Amino acid sequence: MALHLYAANTSNAQRASCALEEFGLPYTLHKLDLSKGEQKSAEFLAINPAGQVPALVDDAAGVKLAQSCAILLYLADKTGKLLPAAKKADVLRLVAYAASDVSGAIGAYVGFSMSKLADKPAPVAEWLAARVVSALGQADKALADGRPFIAGDEFTIADLALAPAARRAKDIPGVADLGHLQAYVARIFARPAMAKGLAALA
């Protein structure tokens, strides 16, 4: 197959696996065991020198690409799907929001929680959790109008960018209270292709 996805069971990699399923593109999945440091192997570093998943290789196009949201944009451009021209600007804004505001806040919280710091002040953890709730609260507010998808009535790459990150954040204090967001995440992952993409990395 021309497309190869290198991934582990992370929310960033789930963006890519779910995208490939939603786009209906055949691909070969290469699972990496992060606990064994397989993402630091010479073979993988030749694909992504940063040693992070996911990474996509498109043999037919001679492309090696990292960064989950860049992969979404690449696949949308390749297929001409899930990036409607009429909503392109807003979808791109939402992809950037998911990549920076949402994933940045979640990454900071999770990184702090998993760190081996001898002292983890509760106020710091609370502040980081509040950042996550603030970031995801923007989506919760937008979804309050009853729209089925984050950009409106149509499933787009913005949903592929946002839903896996929001799902990862479900146990962070305060996130469960974002009712519109929680219903949205459940709705998105009820889609057969999303569920298949998630299961592929489990």
Side-chain angles (χ1 to χ4, degrees), residues 4 6 40 49 66 90 94 119 131 152 182:
H4 298 263
Y6 294 79
K40 303 298 183 182
D90 197 41
L94 289 164
D119 181 27
R131 284 188 62 207
Q182 297 306 319

Side-chain angles (χ1 to χ4, degrees), residues 127-195:
W127 179 76
L128 290 170
R131 284 188 62 207
V132 175
V133 172
S134 177
L136 286 173
Q138 297 175 46
D140 186 72
K141 183 176 180 180
L143 291 161
D145 66 5
R147 65 181 69 183
F149 306 108
I150 192 59
D153 294 330
E154 188 175 353
F155 182 86
T156 69
I157 58 171
D159 299 295
L160 287 162
L162 177 61
R167 180 178 178 274
R168 182 189 187 194
K170 66 183 185 303
D171 295 326
I172 295 176
V175 173
D177 296 330
L178 301 175
H180 301 294
L181 179 73
Q182 297 306 319
Y184 160 81
V185 170
R187 189 164 61 247
I188 294 299
F189 282 102
R191 294 171 63 89
M194 293 295 292

Side-chain angles (χ1 to χ4, degrees), residues 6-137:
Y6 294 79
N9 196 17
T10 68
S11 57
N12 283 345
Q14 288 163 7
R15 285 169 169 163
S17 63
C18 290
L20 287 162
E21 297 295 343
E22 284 284 354
F23 284 114
L25 294 169
Y27 65 100
T28 299
L29 176 62
H30 305 266
K31 287 187 180 181
L32 301 183
D33 189 334
L34 304 187
S35 68
K36 294 181 179 178
E38 292 179 355
Q39 75 278 19
K40 303 298 183 182
S41 69
E43 178 186 11
F44 183 67
L45 290 175
I47 297 168
N48 181 14
Q52 297 176 336
V53 293
L56 182 76
V57 175
D58 186 343
D59 285 337
V63 169
K64 296 177 181 178
L65 184 63
Q67 296 294 335
S68 59
C69 287
I71 291 171
L72 300 184
L73 292 166
Y74 176 77
L75 294 176
D77 183 66
K78 181 181 180 72
T79 62
K81 298 176 181 178
L82 303 187
L83 184 54
K87 293 186 176 181
K88 185 174 182 179
D90 197 41
V91 171
L92 293 178
R93 175 186 67 81
L94 289 164
V95 170
Y97 151 74
S100 58
D101 298 21
V102 173
S103 289
I106 294 171
Y109 178 88
V110 172
F112 179 79
S113 299
M114 296 178 65
S115 71
K116 296 181 180 179
L117 294 172
D119 181 27
K120 296 182 185 178
V124 175
E126 292 167 2
W127 179 76
L128 290 170
R131 284 188 62 207
V132 175
V133 172
S134 177
L136 286 173

